[in-house]
Amino acid sequence: MKILIIGATSAIAKASARLYAARKAQLFLIARNEELLIELKEDLMIRGAHSVAYYVLDLSNQKNHGEALEQARQSLEEIDIALLCHGSLPDQETCENDYNRAKEEINVNGLSIISLCTELSKVFKAQQSGVLAAITSVAGDRGRQPNFIYGAAKSMVSTYLQGLRGKLLAHKVHVIDIKPGLVDSPMTSKFDKGLLWSTPELVANRIVRGIDRKNHTVYVPGYWRIIMATVCLIPEFIFKRLKI
Amino acid sequence: MQLHGWGRFPGVTAELLEPPTRESIQKLFGTKKKHGPMIARGAGRSYGDSSLADTVLSSRFLDSFLEFNATTGIIKCGAGVSMGALLTVIIPEGFFAPVLPGTKFVSIGGAIAADIHGKNHHTDGSFCDHVRSFSLLLSSGEIIQCSRDENRDAFLATCGGMGLTGIIINATISLHKVSSVFIKRNSIVAKDLDDCMDLIDQNEDSKHSFAWLDCLARGKSLGRSILHLADHCADGPQQPKSRVSLSVPFGTPRFFLNRLSNKLFNNAIYEMWKHRKNPSIVNYDSYFFPLDNIRNWNRLYGSKGFLQYQFVMPSSSAREGIREILKIVSESSTGSFISVLKKFGNANQNLLSFPTAGYTLALDFKNEPSVFPLLSKLDEVLLAHGGRLYLAKDSRMSEDVFKAAYPNWERFVEIKKTLDPSNTFVSHQSMRLGLTQ
Ligand SMILES: Cc1cc2nc3c(=O)[nH]c(=O)nc-3n(C[C@H](O)[C@H](O)[C@H](O)COP(=O)(O)OP(=O)(O)OC[C@H]3O[C@@H](n4cnc5c(N)ncnc54)[C@H](O)[C@@H]3O)c2cc1C
Ligand SMILES: NC(=O)c1ccc[n+]([C@@H]2O[C@H](COP(=O)([O-])OP(=O)(O)OC[C@H]3O[C@@H](n4cnc5c(N)ncnc54)[C@H](OP(=O)(O)O)[C@@H]3O)[C@@H](O)[C@H]2O)c1
C-alpha cells in the first residue's frame, strides 16, 4: 500500500500515518518542519512502515507543489492513496479586518488544496487508479459568525471535491471529503473542550475506515452529519442572529 | 479547565498546556518563562493529586518512538508514549514490557515518575530498574541526560520522584524477550490471609503473582482470596486477539456500588474461581489489564469519585499489620470490597520509590466523609508496622505520615533544590506532603 500524506505532521495526519504504518504501508510525507518529519519518519518505521520518505515544503507556496508531488511519485512509483491534511485555524476578527490575512488563510485552507488536487488528478488519471482524500471541516457546511473565513475556504474545497469526484469517476479514481467536527489537537489548544470533542486518534480511525470503504463524505464522528443538517435547516432570518 | 486523577478526587481548576513538540515545551522554560509553578501530566492514571497543579503540562504529544533495536530489545521513546502503544510495537518482535501496571493506559513518563511496579516485582523489580537513561528538561530550560552513571542524583530523584525534578522528555528502556504473549495462569483459592501469604511465599518462582482479596469476609475467613500465578507460555502465537470493550459513559448514581451488591459480587467471584480448571491459557491483556476493557470504570463510584489506599509493610510485620487493617476495614461501614495483595522484592536506590521488601495491599474506598477518619486510623496502624503509602495512589496522606515513612525525603528535597532552584515543579500533592512550598 503506497500512501502520500500532505501536512503529515498535523496531529490527525500523524495518527492516520501510524495506522497505515501498522499495516506496513510505504509512506511519503510532505510537511514544512523538517525536524518533525525526521522524527515522524523514525516513529513510523518503528511502528511497522515498510518505508518512509519525505519532502519539506511550505504548502502555501503553490510553485513547488508540482516538484513535491513528482518526488512523491518517483519515490512511491504509484500512489494508492493521497491524504491532504494541512490547515490552519485563523483568528476570525483579524481576517475580517485585514484582507491580506484573509487571503493567506484562504490560500492555505483552500487554494493550496486545489492546486495539489490539480496535480494529483494528473497522476491519478495517468495511473487510472487511486484514492484522493482531503480533510475539510464541518465549518464549511454553513457560514457561521465565529469562523466564516476558515469555513469559506473549507467549503470551497468541499464543493471542488464534489465536482472532481464525478470527473475522476471514469478514471477509476475515488474522491473522499473528510469533515471532522471538533478535534482536540494543537490547532484547538486554546479551546475549552467538552462532550462533542474527539481525539485525533479517533478521527484517524474514521479516515482510514472511510478510505477502506470508499465513502464519499465522512463526517467524524458520524453524529456531525445530523448536527450540521440541523444547523443548515435553521431559517436564515434566525440564523443571521446566531453567534454560534 | 477541570482536571482530576483516576480517582476523580480531588478535582481542581487548572490551566492545561499541551505543547505539540519538544521544542515548544522547552520554550516554556528558562529566561522566556511565562508560567508559574507547574507539574507534568502523562495519562492522568495516578489516582489523586500527583499530576494536579494550577498549571499542568501534558506530555501527550511526546508520543513518538525514537529508536528501537529489535536485536538487543532496547527502545527509546517519548515520555508520552503509552504502555499500550509500546506493547503494540514490541510484541511482534518477540519482546514484552519489563514491568506492567494494572492498566495499559499509563504513559512512560508516568511509569518512571511513579517508578511503577508490576505483578513481577518479586522477580524483576520496578519499572525504573529497566530504564537505562532518560532526558530531563529542567526549569532552567536545559535538557540533561540521566542514567545510573550520568547525573546519578537526578536519576535517583526522578525515578519515583512524581514529576518534581523536571519534565521527562524521552527514555531508553530495556525490554524483556518472551517466548509468547500468552500466559499460563494458575489460580489458587486461599481460605484466609495466612493461607494466602503462605501460598504466595511458596510460589515465589512464578514470574507474576498477585491475589484478589475479599475485603468483606470477616472472622475465620478474613483475608480469603484467590492467588493468580502466571508465567509466559513456552511457545505460541505472538499476536494477541483483540477484545471487545465496554464503556461507562457517565458517573453512575452513588448507590450503584453498595455493600449488598459487593457481597454478592465477591461471593460469585470466589465461587467461580473455586471451580476453574488450572492452568488456563489466557491472553496477556486479560491477565495484566482485567479492567481495561471497561473504559472509565472509575465512574462507577459516582461523581464524588474514590480513593485508593495502597501500602506496603515489611515482611516481618505484614501478617499482623495486614490482618489488623483488614479487620478495621471489614468492620467499617465504608469498606473497600475487593483488594489486591502482592509480595514485593527488595527496594531499589531511588529516593522516593514505593516498593520495599514486604507485602503490598491496595484497597478502594468510595469518597465519602467517613472514609477520611477511617484512613487516618489505618495510617496509624501502618506506621506502627513500619509501612508506607504509594504516592501514585495518594490524595490525602498527611505530611507527617509521609515524612515518617519515606526517610529519604530530605535527600530528595536537597537534590530537587539543585535541579529546580526556582521551585517550578510543584503539585498539589507535593505541597500537601511538604516536599515543596
Ligand atoms: C487501573 C489502574 C491500575 C494501576 N495499577 C498499577 C500497578 O499495578 N502498579 C503501579 O505501580 N501503579 C499502578 N497504577 C498507577 C499508575 O501506574 C501510576 O499512577 C502512573 O504514574 C500513571 O501514569 P500516567 O502516565 O497516567 O501519569 P499521571 O497520572 O499523569 O502522572 C503521575 C505522576 O507522574 C508524573 N509525570 C507524568 N509524566 C511525566 C513526565 N513526562 N515527566 C515528569 N513527570 C511526569 C506526574 O507529574 C505525576 O506526579 C494503576 C493505575 C490505574 C488507574
Ligand atoms: N482540530 C479541529 O477541530 C479540526 C476540525 C475540523 C477540521 N480540521 C482540519 O483537520 C486538519 C488537520 O488539523 P489538526 O486538527 O490535526 O491540527 P494541527 O495538528 O494543528 O495540524 C495542522 C497542520 O497544518 C500544517 N500547516 C499549516 N499551514 C501550513 C503551510 N503553509 N505549509 C505546510 N503545512 C502547514 C501545520 O504545520 P506545522 O506543524 O508546521 O505548523 C500542521 O501540521 C486541518 O485541515 C484542519 O483544518 C481540524
Side-chain angles (χ1 to χ4, degrees):
Chain A
M1 199 190 267
K2 299 177 174 194
I3 297 163
L4 164 66
I5 302 186
I6 302 178
T9 55
S10 99
I12 295 175
K14 235 162 68 172
S16 310
R18 286 172 176 170
L19 293 177
Y20 284 119
R23 294 185 180 184
K24 309 201 183 323
Q26 278 174 259
L27 292 150
F28 193 92
L29 315 174
I30 301 178
R32 62 178 165 187
N33 184 327
E34 179 156 25
E35 214 176 307
L36 295 183
L37 278 169
I38 294 171
E39 184 172 313
L40 182 58
K41 172 180 168 166
E42 196 51 43
D43 175 67
L44 294 172
M45 288 304 291
I46 294 173
R47 288 178 196 260
H50 179 277
S51 64
V52 183
Y54 65 82
Y55 187 92
V56 186
L57 181 64
D58 186 323
L59 293 156
S60 61
N61 183 356
Q62 275 88 340
K63 261 209 327 264
N64 298 327
H65 285 182
E67 157 71 14
L69 294 180
E70 181 52 26
Q71 291 283 331
R73 207 193 49 75
Q74 282 180 16
S75 166
L76 295 175
E77 291 169 347
E78 192 156 322
I79 302 174
D80 295 322
I81 298 166
L83 178 60
L84 281 61
C85 300
H86 64 285
S88 126
L89 185 63
D91 180 59
Q92 172 68 25
E93 286 286 310
T94 314
C95 289
E96 263 171 56
N97 297 312
D98 177 349
Y99 170 67
N100 283 325
R101 286 289 299 126
K103 199 168 93 180
E104 279 168 25
E105 293 299 335
I106 290 173
N107 184 40
V108 173
N109 288 308
L111 294 171
S112 79
I113 316 277
I114 292 178
S115 156
L116 289 161
C117 287
T118 309
E119 296 303 316
L120 280 167
S121 298
K122 293 178 195 161
V123 177
F124 283 142
K125 272 187 199 162
Q127 288 179 189
Q128 289 288 304
S129 71
V131 176
L132 194 154
I135 307 183
T136 63
S137 170
V138 296
D141 283 9
R142 194 163 187 183
R144 291 174 297 113
Q145 292 189 37
N147 68 353
F148 62 84
I149 301 287
Y150 175 74
K154 291 290 189 184
S155 97
M156 168 185 358
V157 176
S158 289
T159 308
Y160 175 90
L161 293 176
Q162 275 173 354
L164 189 66
R165 180 177 299 128
K167 270 276 167 160
L168 293 181
L169 182 66
H171 301 279
K172 303 193 190 67
V173 179
H174 185 70
V175 176
I176 305 184
D177 184 358
I178 295 145
K179 297 188 173 189
L182 297 165
V183 189
D184 181 3
S185 76
M187 183 175 276
T188 53
S189 62
K190 296 207 165 59
F191 292 63
D192 266 340
K193 315 287 180 331
L195 261 184
L196 287 175
W197 289 77
S198 354
T199 60
E201 288 72 25
L202 178 113
V203 177
N205 215 297
R206 296 302 152 81
I207 291 177
V208 170
R209 191 174 78 181
I211 292 174
D212 286 346
R213 292 181 180 171
K214 300 229 166 129
N215 291 138
H216 296 126
T217 306
V218 183
Y219 281 84
V220 194
Y223 53 71
W224 280 98
R225 189 182 288 275
I226 299 162
I227 296 177
M228 292 321 291
T230 314
V231 169
C232 289
L233 282 176
I234 302 172
E236 195 59 32
F237 72 91
I238 299 176
F239 193 75
K240 70 183 179 188
R241 294 185 168 79
L242 299 182
K243 296 203 160 39
I244 54 166
Chain B
M1 71 179 291
Q2 277 297 111
L3 279 182
H4 52 67
W6 184 248
R8 301 168 65 81
F9 167 81
V12 303
T13 308
E15 182 189 12
L16 179 65
L17 308 175
E18 299 185 308
T21 60
R22 188 192 54 230
E23 208 185 353
S24 49
I25 294 183
Q26 203 171 356
K27 277 199 189 127
L28 295 171
F29 298 94
T31 47
K32 296 194 199 87
K33 198 170 114 180
K34 286 197 303 264
H35 297 275
M38 64 166 78
I39 196 73
R41 183 174 170 97
R45 251 59 184 192
S46 56
Y47 279 64
D49 48 2
S50 314
S51 64
L52 300 180
D54 292 345
T55 304
V56 172
L57 195 154
S58 166
S59 66
R60 103 172 235 240
F61 291 115
L62 294 174
D63 62 345
S64 294
F65 289 98
L66 304 169
E67 287 165 27
F68 179 28
N69 184 329
T71 317
T72 57
I74 294 173
I75 195 159
K76 181 175 177 184
C77 65
V81 165
S82 75
M83 201 60 92
L86 182 82
L87 290 172
T88 313
V89 160
I90 65 177
I91 284 175
E93 302 294 334
F95 290 99
F96 205 62
V99 168
L100 286 174
T103 170
K104 61 176 170 293
F105 300 117
V106 303
S107 73
I108 296 303
I112 295 174
D115 192 8
I116 62 169
H117 56 269
K119 297 168 173 59
N120 57 342
H121 189 273
H122 61 292
T123 45
D124 297 317
S126 56
F127 190 77
C128 293
D129 296 334
H130 308 271
V131 172
R132 297 167 70 95
S133 63
F134 51 79
S135 45
L136 182 70
L137 171 62
L138 304 179
S139 49
S140 63
E142 186 194 354
I143 294 182
I144 60 169
Q145 283 302 314
C146 305
S147 69
R148 285 173 191 80
D149 308 318
E150 195 179 358
N151 293 309
R152 183 179 167 82
D153 278 352
F155 184 87
L156 298 181
T158 303
C159 293
M162 305 310 285
L164 298 172
T165 55
I167 311 286
I168 302 162
I169 298 292
N170 57 53
T172 305
I173 302 154
S174 298
L175 303 169
H176 278 184
K177 188 98 197 158
V178 289
S179 39
S180 162
V181 294
F182 278 77
I183 301 291
K184 191 162 83 184
R185 178 181 62 195
N186 277 296
S187 303
I188 311 172
V189 167
K191 62 181 191 310
D192 59 22
L193 185 65
D194 271 331
D195 192 18
C196 180
M197 290 171 113
D198 288 343
L199 284 166
I200 291 178
D201 291 349
Q202 288 156 19
N203 288 287
E204 280 199 345
D205 290 350
S206 281
K207 188 173 172 76
H208 303 281
S209 138
F210 75 102
W212 287 88
L213 206 127
D214 176 0
C215 292
L216 300 176
R218 300 189 196 191
K220 262 200 348 248
S221 35
L222 186 85
R224 77 167 177 174
S225 37
I226 302 135
L227 174 63
H228 297 288
L229 303 166
D231 287 285
H232 288 270
C233 291
D235 49 28
Q238 290 290 2
Q239 275 306 349
K241 282 189 286 227
S242 62
R243 291 195 295 171
V244 189
S245 79
L246 306 168
S247 169
V248 181
F250 38 73
T252 52
R254 285 171 62 70
F255 56 79
F256 189 79
L257 291 180
N258 61 35
R259 232 180 145 72
L260 180 66
S261 69
N262 297 347
K263 207 161 180 118
L264 290 171
F265 181 78
N266 282 8
N267 283 336
I269 288 204
Y270 198 76
E271 286 307 314
M272 181 183 95
W273 285 106
K274 239 164 133 173
H275 302 293
R276 277 267 172 106
K277 270 212 214 69
N278 276 327
S280 49
I281 308 292
V282 295
N283 252 347
Y284 75 90
D285 56 351
S286 57
Y287 180 77
F288 290 104
F289 315 126
L291 290 173
D292 273 359
N293 60 343
I294 310 172
R295 287 261 176 166
N296 302 321
W297 60 261
N298 55 343
R299 291 179 177 159
L300 287 172
Y301 284 90
S303 60
K304 292 206 173 124
F306 69 113
L307 295 84
Q308 188 167 91
Y309 190 83
Q310 181 174 4
F311 64 85
V312 57
M313 273 186 197
S315 306
S316 53
S317 58
R319 284 190 190 233
E320 195 194 325
I322 290 179
R323 180 166 303 110
E324 208 170 321
I325 285 191
L326 282 177
K327 229 162 135 183
I328 298 174
V329 172
S330 69
E331 280 162 10
S332 75
S333 55
T334 50
S336 170
F337 68 106
I338 274 199
S339 69
V340 175
L341 178 70
K342 90 154 258 89
K343 189 169 187 175
F344 277 157
N346 289 330
N348 57 26
Q349 294 184 307
N350 305 329
L351 295 171
L352 295 186
S353 283
F354 168 63
T356 51
Y359 295 85
T360 177
L361 187 73
L363 303 150
D364 287 351
F365 295 89
K366 198 196 264 188
N367 174 22
E368 47 199 357
S370 57
V371 157
F372 295 87
L374 176 77
L375 297 185
S376 299
K377 204 157 133 195
L378 299 189
D379 288 344
E380 284 170 30
V381 180
L382 182 63
L383 285 186
H385 289 85
R388 55 159 68 160
L389 285 169
Y390 188 12
L391 297 181
K393 307 285 177 79
D394 158 59
S395 49
R396 37 81 38 204
M397 168 174 27
S398 72
E399 177 172 348
D400 291 346
V401 171
F402 166 69
K403 288 183 173 171
Y406 281 84
N408 288 329
W409 73 268
E410 277 172 302
R411 176 89 186 103
F412 177 84
V413 169
E414 262 170 46
I415 298 175
K416 169 168 168 76
K417 279 189 181 144
T418 62
L419 295 171
D420 180 22
S422 57
N423 201 31
T424 295
F425 300 108
V426 169
S427 64
H428 286 304
Q429 180 179 51
S430 73
M431 290 198 280
R432 176 165 47 76
L433 300 181
L435 279 169
T436 58
Q437 283 96 40

